[in-house]
């Protein structure tokens, strides 16, 4: 696996620098990826639980919205 790179553009000088992530940026990128994966897993679990409740009640999502509005 290659090290991710960051591109820095200096608007004043017009200089563009491309460099590898430093240790801090790499650790933050890994933490962000873990948080993103956890959020996706939580959203999936929530959607599955919601669907299970609707199935138990024998109604559709649209019918539930009508009942709760």
């Amino acid at each position: 696996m290659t090290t991710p790179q960051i591109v820095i553009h200096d608007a004043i000088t017009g200089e563009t620098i491309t460099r590898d992530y430093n240790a801090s940026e790499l650790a933050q990128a890994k933490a962000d990826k873990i948080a993103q994966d956890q959020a996706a897993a939580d959203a999936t679990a929530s959607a599955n639980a919601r669907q299970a409740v609707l199935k138990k009640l024998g109604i559709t999502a649209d019918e539930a919205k009508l009942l709760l509005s």
Side-chain angles (χ1 to χ4, degrees), residues 3-6 8 19-29:
T3 303
Q5 294 187 326
I6 188 168
I8 303 168
R19 64 171 176 78
D20 290 343
Y21 279 14
N22 60 33
S24 173
E25 293 165 334
L26 194 55
Q28 184 62 51

